[in-house]
Amino acid sequence: MLELKNIKKSYKTGSFKQTALKDVDVKFRTEEFVAILGPSGSGKTTLLNIIGGLDRYDSGDLIINGKSTKKFKDSNWDSYRNNCIGFIFQSYNLISHISILENVEMSTILSGYSKKRRRKMSIDALEKVGLKDHIHKKPNQLSGGQMQRVAIARALVNNPDIILADEPTGALDTKTSKQIMDLIKEVAKDKLVIMVTHNPDLAKEYANRIIEFKDGEIISDSSPVKDDENKNDKFKIKKTSMNYLSAISLSFNNLKTKKGRTFITSFASSIGIIGIALILSLSNGFKLKIDDFEKDTLAQMPLIISEQTMDLNSMKNMANEKDNLEEYSNKKKIYPQKTMEANVHINKITKEYLDIIENIDNDLIGGLSYTRITGLNIFTKQNDEVKAVEKELFSSLPSNKDGTSSTVMTDNFEIIYGSESTNKEDLFLLVDSKNRINEKVLEILGYKDKKEINFDDIIGKEFKIVLNDDYYNENNGFFTINNDLNDLYNKENNITVKIKGIIRGKKDNMFGEMSGTGIFYNKSLMDYIIDKNKESEIVKVQSDKNYNVLTMTQFEKDEDKENMISFLGGNSIPKAIQIYPKDFESKDKIIKELDKYNKSKSKEDKILYLDQSELMTSLTGNIMDAITIVLIAFSSISLIVSSIMVGIITYTSVLERTKEIGILRSLGARKKDITRVFNAETLIIGLCSGVLGILIARLLIIPTNIIIENLSKLPDVAKLNPKHAIILITISVILTLIGGLIPSRIASKKDPVIALRTE
Ligand code: ADP
Ligand code: MG
């Protein structure tokens, strides 16, 4: 039984209130054909919508199976519409982008039967209305009568108890109208049919009961239900829902009808993905290449233990010092350099440390080179005045352990002026990257306080090295220094040395930068001096004594004596050491040994090494990461833009499909189902754009690699990591889903009645 009790309904448009139903009080039997007659605007459609649960009454009650619907929730109404009600509209209301079979199936999708069963039900329903041969046609390929037959099949397929028909023949000619009426009468003989019509003749011919309607009120009823009639007739109501697969197939069909637009949308939103995929493949590929490169080359960069090391920050400060000097210039000039003392760590290389290095497994070491110093008594003549020179300003050029001329020299330095030589008489001036040289060195060269000096003025500068027996005088077991500088300068045994060339650390070479500046001599000079001085009186005496023969103070450590003999030029001590590991593993093992030494030492006595390769790789790694992040940030903007675009497109789609939303709701779809349909649509677009983006990026990698190979000789640099590909597709789906979120919520909130009235 269906009963309307004092139903009232009015619509507000702005401040204007339009009463559609004044006070409707009527009962319907479970099996009867009711025709509602009445002029346009009298509230017939409103009545049907309220009976069908599409629209809500303002007051009164709708009683189904004796139960009030006052407390019905949305879900109860949805189930009621899907199970109990079949709507037939004047304008057919078919979904145009799917076949008529799918239109009929749409009604069953919501009832949750299996796909196979639903298909059979739908085909059966279409057979009943005489359209079995047309099931794969689209609605616009049918005549009006045929479309209304489809609507009837759709209304019947779930075998509802109530058929609500709103002017079903209003758009059809008389002959077709009769056929449709016959069909409704035939298929709904055991149901309640409530049909709104303008046509009193049709009503009289087909209906068993005629209700006349005017101004929202019933003015006559040919067969009202009496109070004592059977009240045990029941309608059936069960839950409805649309699963995700159905939502996706519905959206997929919709997108199929807009292939061009879907493709362009997907392509546009894939641009961000393409950008990021390319950037990731490049950075990924470069990192792999750098790893290879490191293994080949960087492993062979030396561990450097120099006399001075400084922390990198102070080095940076020094580099940033403003002086307008050009780096690695071709100018034949020299400039003074301020002495830097901040953050300098002095490495005191001890015998213990040297022993550790000597004992490192030879298999780990590819090469070992030392820079040694020995005591030299050096003099120069400026303006006819002889001056003594600090011996600390002189050191030897690096040489191998066995004394052979070192590859360290050619690996790390370049001769920028003059020529190479191993003669003991030849000296070299080492300048820094800005051609600067320590002020003290400039002073002894005779260029104190000069702003710049020409290379040519430096070359040929002469020094005299005085041997110990001429330099020191013995006096009853202790020694004094000969003070007559002019006499010393002119001794017969003196060795005359001259500056032969100017050298500079190679560009971006740590060792070069760490070597400082100064005057360097060949190992041949050192060997010659040590040879001579070993036999000198002072060294011979010093070797026997436990006190300093110049100051007459007692030695505290064995080391002190060693250092004294070196100071006297009777031996040499290493000032810097370069260790060349065979490979990365060897380097780690060597470093372990060196670290062992430092463990037990105080901060001051620690010997710090410089790992050039590590510096290089962490630098290149960081730069790569930074560039990658910046580029990805840029491409991400296009991702955001594309998700906004998808949002807009989804919103347009919502507007376009308003009618469809109404139809789905009239068939019993829940708000949630509508959201699902549109989410499914954005999901498909997101997936398409993600996959498309990856495919295009994959294709673009081919020419990219060809270009890179032409430029850099590196083959196959760009490589897309499959993990990145999957992550990017996921991001694309998530972003488009977010973009479509608002439009799909708007869709679900649409009032089904208004949606159905939309054209
Ligand atoms: P009928 O189907 O008998 O032609 P309706 O039920 O469609 O009449 O409409 C009844 C009255 O309610 C009409 O005056 C119509 O303008 C008004 N009406 C119907 N729907 C709305 C709505 N959504 N908003 C405002 N007024 C409405
Ligand atoms: Mg109407």
Side-chain angles (χ1 to χ4, degrees), residues 44-45 166-167 196:
K44 307 180 298 292
T45 300
D166 194 352
E167 301 185 34
V196 167

Side-chain angles (χ1 to χ4, degrees), residues 151-170:
I152 293 169
R154 182 180 62 187
L156 285 171
V157 67
N158 271 340
N159 195 23
D161 298 312
I162 306 166
I163 301 284
L164 302 174
D166 194 352
E167 301 185 34
T169 60

Side-chain angles (χ1 to χ4, degrees), residues 203-222:
K204 271 172 207 145
E205 194 176 342
Y206 290 93
N208 347 98
R209 176 177 172 191
I210 295 174
I211 294 175
E212 274 190 275
F213 218 76
K214 202 184 169 193
D215 295 335
E217 272 180 316
I218 294 175
I219 52 168
S220 79
D221 188 342
S222 68

Side-chain angles (χ1 to χ4, degrees), residues 105-133:
E105 250 180 36
M106 192 56 62
S107 185
T108 62
I109 272 174
L110 298 156
S111 59
Y113 294 126
S114 78
K115 172 105 188 147
K116 218 172 148 191
R117 177 160 177 201
R118 289 182 355 231
R119 175 114 320 174
K120 190 172 181 315
M121 286 161 65
S122 310
I123 294 174
D124 287 351
L126 281 165
E127 193 172 4
K128 261 192 211 161
V129 301
L131 287 175
K132 193 166 189 244
D133 300 333

Side-chain angles (χ1 to χ4, degrees), residues 48-56 62 77 80-81 85 87:
L48 277 197
N49 285 342
I50 284 177
I51 294 174
L54 263 182
D55 211 348
R56 304 282 172 273
L62 174 71
W77 285 118
Y80 167 67
R81 273 201 313 280
I85 308 287
F87 274 105

Side-chain angles (χ1 to χ4, degrees), residues 50 77 99 107 130 132 136 154 213 219 268 381 416 418 441 479 527 566 571 586 630 650 691 746:
I50 284 177
W77 285 118
S99 72
S107 185
K132 193 166 189 244
H136 295 301
R154 182 180 62 187
F213 218 76
I219 52 168
K381 203 179 205 172
I416 54 171
V441 178
F479 289 82
D527 290 345
S566 293
N571 206 343
S586 308
V630 168
T650 312
V691 172
I746 293 173

